[in-house]
Amino acid sequence: MATSTANLERERLLKLAEEYRDKGYEVFFHPNLEDLPDFLKTYRPDMIVRRGEENVVIEVKSRASLNSSSNQYLSNLAKAVEKHPGWRFEFVMTNPEDIMYSLKAEGSLQEDEIESQLQVARHLTTQHPESGILYSWSLVEATLRLLAQKEELSLEGFDPLYLINQLATEGVISKSEYQLLMNLLPSRNSIAHGFKTTELTQNSVYELIELTEHLLKTLHTGDEAD
């Protein structure tokens, strides 16, 4: 299974490399330490492509290789990259389980259900912020999937980091919305997997709830990212 997963990821990486080369990018597979800028020295990205002033850090993963540790790594890497002008992070999910994805997608929360449950999330946050972020995060993920559906984006998985990056790349969510989600994702992951976190505040969960409410409104108004 591990070998098969690794092969699928490598095949996808090779295909991406070919696509970027065709567009005139210089491609670095598993770049050496000397090929990395200082802010990436502690990471080992799958691939970096460059063209002029544009630099793209690319990670390819399958759902089978995603876990709390890899999610944390990808989240940290994405935040490190986004801090530097001229650099962007691209996360690609491979070996999509299309049939399973379709079945799960059909069971996703819909707009009216999300709206009604947001009040529950707000009340829960008042007493228990840790429980509040887990509840709120499930609602924002469902909302992001609705946005992707509205924009007719082809999604290959449910992983939150992948979903956030896809919507940001396509301009469906703004840079500030992207940053808020990325800032809260590590806390959500820590709590979801039974780890303590000191970074979570009641206000930060309220911000997540308010973001979800705003994104729900854009389903009707057609607001574009800032």
Side-chain angles (χ1 to χ4, degrees):
M1 177 66 179
T3 302
S4 176
T5 296
N7 287 340
L8 285 167
E9 291 174 356
R10 180 171 176 77
E11 287 173 8
R12 186 61 179 272
L13 200 57
L14 288 169
K15 185 177 180 182
L16 283 170
E18 183 180 351
E19 292 172 358
Y20 271 106
R21 284 198 186 98
D22 288 344
K23 295 176 183 177
Y25 287 81
E26 185 179 10
V27 175
F28 298 85
F29 271 108
H30 302 292
N32 297 319
L33 201 60
E34 56 267 24
D35 294 324
L36 296 173
D38 288 342
F39 72 90
L40 288 179
K41 296 290 188 185
T42 57
Y43 298 94
R44 290 294 180 270
D46 289 335
M47 187 166 69
I48 290 179
V49 298
R50 292 172 177 157
R51 185 179 67 181
E53 298 298 312
E54 183 184 7
N55 302 272
V56 187
V57 177
I58 300 170
E59 285 285 333
V60 174
K61 291 286 181 287
S62 66
R63 271 194 288 277
S65 63
L66 287 172
N67 52 44
S68 59
S69 177
S70 61
N71 282 343
Q72 187 68 63
Y73 170 84
L74 292 169
S75 177
N76 291 341
L77 175 57
K79 286 195 285 188
V81 172
E82 293 296 331
K83 291 178 182 177
H84 294 80
W87 287 81
R88 66 181 175 85
F89 178 69
E90 182 176 341
F91 175 59
V92 179
M93 180 82 78
T94 191
N95 80 313
E97 299 157 1
D98 295 330
I99 296 176
M100 185 59 69
Y101 180 85
S102 298
L103 289 173
K104 289 181 179 178
E106 289 177 1
S108 184
L109 291 174
Q110 297 304 303
E111 187 178 349
D112 57 337
E113 296 171 310
I114 296 170
E115 287 177 346
S116 65
Q117 292 186 36
L118 278 170
Q119 297 306 313
V120 178
R122 191 177 291 276
H123 178 74
L124 190 60
T125 300
T126 303
Q127 301 296 327
H128 306 285
E130 292 81 4
S131 299
I133 192 173
L134 294 180
Y135 201 100
S136 302
W137 192 272
S138 71
L139 300 179
V140 78
E141 276 196 47
T143 303
L144 293 175
R145 288 195 294 271
L146 289 177
L147 284 171
Q149 182 179 352
K150 175 193 173 187
E151 299 297 326
E152 299 182 345
L153 301 183
S154 178
L155 296 178
E156 297 180 351
F158 291 98
D159 178 74
L161 182 58
Y162 166 77
L163 184 60
I164 294 166
N165 274 293
Q166 286 296 104
L167 292 179
T169 299
E170 296 294 334
V172 179
I173 59 175
S174 70
K175 193 167 185 177
S176 61
E177 291 165 346
Y178 167 86
Q179 199 59 59
L180 173 61
L181 291 167
M182 291 300 293
N183 288 343
L184 285 174
L185 182 56
S187 293
R188 175 266 179 194
N189 287 343
S190 294
I191 294 167
H193 297 289
F195 294 97
K196 297 178 181 179
T197 177
T198 58
E199 299 177 359
L200 185 67
T201 66
Q202 195 176 72
N203 285 338
S204 64
V205 184
Y206 287 143
E207 287 180 354
L208 182 62
I209 293 171
E210 289 165 4
L211 170 60
T212 307
E213 291 172 336
H214 170 72
L215 293 176
L216 282 173
K217 290 178 182 177
T218 67
L219 288 170
H220 299 291
T221 61
D223 289 344
E224 296 181 356
D226 298 333

